[in-house]
Amino acid sequence: MNVTTTAEGIAAAARAASRESGGLPPVHLWDPPYCGDLDIRIARDGNWFYLGTPIGRPEMVRLFSTILKKEKSDYFLVTPVEKIGITVDDAPFVAVDFTAKGKGRKQVLTFTTNVGDSVTADDEHRIRVHRDKSGEPSPYVMVRGGLEALIDRKSFYRLIERGSHKDGWFGIWSSGSFFRIIPSDELPEGE
């Protein structure tokens, strides 16, 4: 492993990259060598762990989230000089709230994540719902660069209240796009 491949070393590199870019670092442009894995895990609830211990500093979690990159199904923290594998249980972010402007086809939904990102659902930032074998839904919104946010339960229930039917599907409108949630004929009675 590289000398800087510690949480502290990565954080220092991320701070430097953020200062240089003036915003989110351009991780999509970086293709550094793989330097191994680091014991960092993002749990399904959005909590980050280092060596099995929760990372209790929100500013550190935010910093790490800005250098997160997904390649195929693997997640990495990347700097211009190294790429370190981490574990993500489900999605790397959680959408903890949203605002809605307008109604119906003119509705615009903007989500806020647990790490402070704000993303408006549209053709580039799609909402999708995965249903497991039991039919239990897991809703997601694309945040950036292939990184999704799991939409938390309270926000999903609020989304459902704003839903409508189109072409045999129950779903939600945002920015002129219709995002399917469930076939209309599979909705429980009373919906």
Side-chain angles (χ1 to χ4, degrees):
M1 229 182 245
N2 192 308
V3 174
T4 63
T5 309
T6 63
E8 296 78 17
I10 294 168
R15 280 188 206 93
S18 292
R19 280 192 300 271
E20 287 175 19
S21 69
L24 287 174
V27 296
H28 63 287
L29 301 176
W30 298 341
D31 191 22
Y34 172 70
C35 298
D37 293 336
L38 193 60
D39 187 4
I40 291 181
R41 180 175 71 89
I42 305 173
R44 189 171 198 268
D45 65 4
N47 285 311
W48 289 56
F49 294 83
Y50 177 56
L51 300 175
T53 302
I55 299 175
R57 294 176 42 210
E59 59 279 353
M60 181 70 74
V61 170
R62 171 64 185 162
L63 186 62
F64 285 153
S65 78
T66 67
I67 59 167
L68 189 60
K69 184 176 184 182
K70 183 177 181 184
E71 294 178 1
K72 297 182 182 168
S73 61
D74 296 320
Y75 293 88
F76 302 92
L77 296 178
V78 295
T79 71
V81 297
E82 61 189 347
K83 175 168 63 174
I84 297 95
I86 67 167
T87 301
V88 177
D89 291 351
D90 187 355
F93 310 127
V94 176
V96 295
D97 201 3
F98 74 90
T99 59
K101 293 183 181 175
K103 292 186 179 186
R105 292 175 186 253
K106 296 184 184 222
Q107 177 171 255
V108 176
L109 303 171
T110 301
F111 292 86
T112 303
T113 71
N114 61 315
V115 294
D117 288 311
S118 179
V119 62
T120 298
D122 57 20
D123 281 340
E124 215 176 301
H125 304 95
R126 302 192 62 78
I127 296 170
R128 74 175 180 92
V129 177
H130 171 78
R131 292 169 66 197
D132 66 16
K133 292 177 183 175
S134 71
E136 184 70 26
S138 291
Y140 302 87
V141 62
M142 182 61 66
V143 177
R144 64 176 184 273
L147 303 173
E148 292 182 309
L150 175 66
I151 300 170
D152 72 3
R153 190 168 300 277
K154 71 176 173 20
S155 298
F156 187 54
Y157 288 150
R158 288 179 47 226
L159 279 178
I160 296 302
E161 292 172 0
R162 302 186 71 84
S164 60
H165 295 270
K166 179 181 181 263
D167 300 330
W169 281 85
F170 178 79
I172 191 80
W173 287 96
S174 182
S175 304
S177 295
F178 183 77
F179 302 103
R180 296 174 172 182
I181 294 175
I182 187 171
S184 296
D185 62 1
E186 293 182 23
L187 277 174
E189 292 295 319
E191 296 293 315

